[in-house]
Amino acid sequence: MSSYISLLRTPGVGRIIAAQLTARFPGGMLSLAYLLHIERVHESYGAAGLVLAATSIGQAIAGPLTSRWMGVWGMRRVLVLTLIVCATSIFSIALIPMSVPVYMLVGFLGGLSTPPIQPAVRTIYPKMVNSRQLTPLFSLDASAQEIIWVAGPVITTFVATQVSTQSAIILAGAFLIGGGIWFIASPEVGRVRIPRSKRSFGTVLKRPPVLLATITGFLLVGACAAVEAGVVAVFGHGGPEAGIVLAVFALGSLVGGLSLGHLPIGPWALARRMLVVFVGMALAMAWLDFWWLSIALLVAGIGIAPALAVIFAIVSSSVKFSDTAEAYGWVGTGQLIGAAIGSAIAGFLIDANGAIGGFWAAAAFALLGFVVPTLLRRWHPDLRGREVGPIPDTAPVPVQPS
């Protein structure tokens, strides 16, 4: 824990983590809030699913695109523009009754304009701490983001059921605006200038570590999405059991990230962490009981934040600084696609085989998530004894005074 205490004592680290988590908090709220609101308006879960799909497609396209724009126009300009458009989309869905196709269009625009805060902050981190502190910082970040997925759905459900579905969406928009302004106003965002990349769009995916991180992230998040569908199918919506089990799952990730985040990253690091995830999800298939699922998913969760930390570290250490934001954008897009496909496959298997089908899908995704970095371990950089940080560009990186 001393490494994390030292990190939080570094000027600006605690503030930038808190600001970006606040701005990204709607990520744990909007899907459920849109689902509840549009189902209420149109009395159709199918209609709500179409809007969520359109929003997710927009987010997937936006990931690498808006991230790359930050090297062209600057972080603050891109973040301010996307924040305005995204907030307008969110409040429009909350306040204006629309037909399903129009909801889909507005949701797509909102997804397309999602502020690239995650790529921005992970591009900033290497400029805030030394190379020795970077891996623990990525682990702390991955662990802290579990707060979004634990508290977000709980707050959304409470506000939507006790006040209104509109209020739940508006609250998510308020988090986006408040956290976004806080993050954009942070001095670190003004100090770091991403150089314009000299490579064509998408070239960064030719870097084996970036491709490995994108594929493994896709499989990891797909497994998590399938588990969530399976847990909800087991316990339904009538009681707190599903929420408690998923909270334990996230708690395992938090504990794993804080306890394992300081370990050196060798060529087997990602495979070992994904093996922990697979073992936990495979155990979950044995018995669909509340206590057994809680224990099994606690085990699975222990590998999640450490795996994400390794993904972020190998990307950061394998590309030039001018390409880091786009690289993280592709990783994020892979994770979004994984979430959509994992949920869809789990849904089909649940319809055909009952709740156990969701856990079959989760275990299959997690097994592939272990096999891929095992077979492609030559793509995995050995960061033991190496500096963890982006490759310097040939030209000096401008640093603007705050």
Side-chain angles (χ1 to χ4, degrees):
M1 293 297 293
S2 60
S3 59
Y4 300 117
I5 294 172
S6 174
L7 272 175
L8 293 174
R9 287 176 177 168
T10 303
V13 168
R15 181 184 64 250
I16 205 79
I17 289 176
Q20 62 101 3
L21 284 177
T22 304
R24 291 169 53 208
F25 203 78
M29 300 179 67
L30 279 177
S31 293
L32 183 56
Y34 282 178
L35 178 70
L36 295 171
H37 179 66
I38 294 166
E39 191 280 329
R40 183 184 63 81
V41 173
H42 287 281
E43 298 182 347
S44 168
Y45 281 105
L50 289 173
V51 177
L52 291 178
T55 303
S56 297
I57 291 170
Q59 290 174 330
I61 295 171
L65 186 63
T66 55
S67 300
R68 188 177 175 89
W69 286 349
M70 291 192 291
V72 179
W73 297 314
M75 282 194 196
R76 278 184 168 152
R77 288 181 181 177
V78 174
L79 289 169
V80 168
L81 175 62
T82 53
L83 179 66
I84 291 171
V85 176
C86 188
T88 301
S89 167
I90 290 171
F91 288 114
S92 297
I93 288 177
L95 300 173
I96 303 173
M98 310 176 198
S99 65
V100 172
V102 178
Y103 269 131
M104 291 174 65
L105 176 61
V106 176
F108 174 77
L109 291 175
L112 193 63
S113 60
T114 301
I117 289 172
Q118 189 171 3
V121 74
R122 287 174 184 150
T123 300
I124 290 170
Y125 281 158
K127 301 300 179 181
M128 296 183 66
V129 299
N130 60 47
S131 59
R132 180 179 54 82
Q133 294 176 303
L134 192 54
T135 298
L137 179 53
F138 281 136
S139 183
L140 180 63
D141 179 280
S143 301
Q145 75 178 8
E146 294 300 332
I147 297 170
I148 297 172
W149 311 114
V150 174
V154 173
I155 293 172
T156 299
T157 303
F158 177 80
V159 174
T161 56
Q162 301 301 314
V163 185
S164 69
T165 54
Q166 289 177 313
S167 298
I169 298 174
I170 291 170
L171 180 60
F175 272 113
L176 176 71
I177 293 173
I181 292 173
W182 186 12
F183 180 76
I184 293 167
S186 299
E188 293 77 14
V189 176
R191 292 193 190 114
V192 177
R193 174 73 170 86
I194 304 173
R196 184 191 293 261
S197 177
K198 298 177 182 178
R199 283 154 290 280
S200 58
F201 181 69
T203 301
V204 70
L205 279 176
K206 293 181 180 179
R207 301 286 298 181
V210 176
L211 190 55
L212 173 63
T214 302
I215 295 171
T216 308
F218 160 83
L219 294 167
L220 172 60
V221 175
C224 294
V227 155
E228 291 174 2
V231 169
V232 171
V234 170
F235 299 107
H237 302 275
E241 292 89 351
I244 294 171
V245 171
L246 292 176
V248 171
F249 185 39
L251 179 63
S253 178
L254 177 63
V255 171
L258 295 178
S259 58
L260 304 177
H262 64 285
L263 297 179
I265 296 175
W268 289 95
L270 190 52
R272 287 170 178 164
R273 287 155 175 78
M274 288 303 302
L275 178 60
V276 174
V277 177
F278 167 66
V279 168
M281 292 186 176
L283 287 173
M285 295 190 295
W287 192 14
L288 303 186
D289 169 78
F290 173 81
W291 291 107
W292 179 255
L293 285 177
S294 297
I295 294 169
L297 294 184
L298 179 67
V299 172
I302 288 172
I304 292 174
L308 288 171
V310 172
I311 286 171
F312 303 147
I314 64 175
V315 169
S316 177
S317 302
S318 304
V319 299
K320 291 188 175 182
F321 182 66
S322 57
D323 292 323
T324 51
E326 184 188 341
Y328 285 126
W330 283 111
V331 172
T333 291
Q335 293 175 0
L336 283 166
I337 296 172
I341 294 178
S343 296
I345 292 176
F348 285 121
L349 290 176
I350 289 168
D351 287 342
N353 304 282
I356 189 66
F359 295 95
W360 290 347
F365 270 91
L367 177 60
L368 288 173
F370 163 67
V371 170
V372 167
T374 298
L375 296 179
L376 302 180
R377 61 187 179 278
R378 291 185 178 180
W379 291 8
H380 192 305
D382 187 349
L383 302 181
R384 294 172 296 184
R386 273 185 51 189
E387 290 191 357
V388 179
I391 302 168
D393 286 86
T394 54
V397 177
V399 178
Q400 301 174 352
S402 58

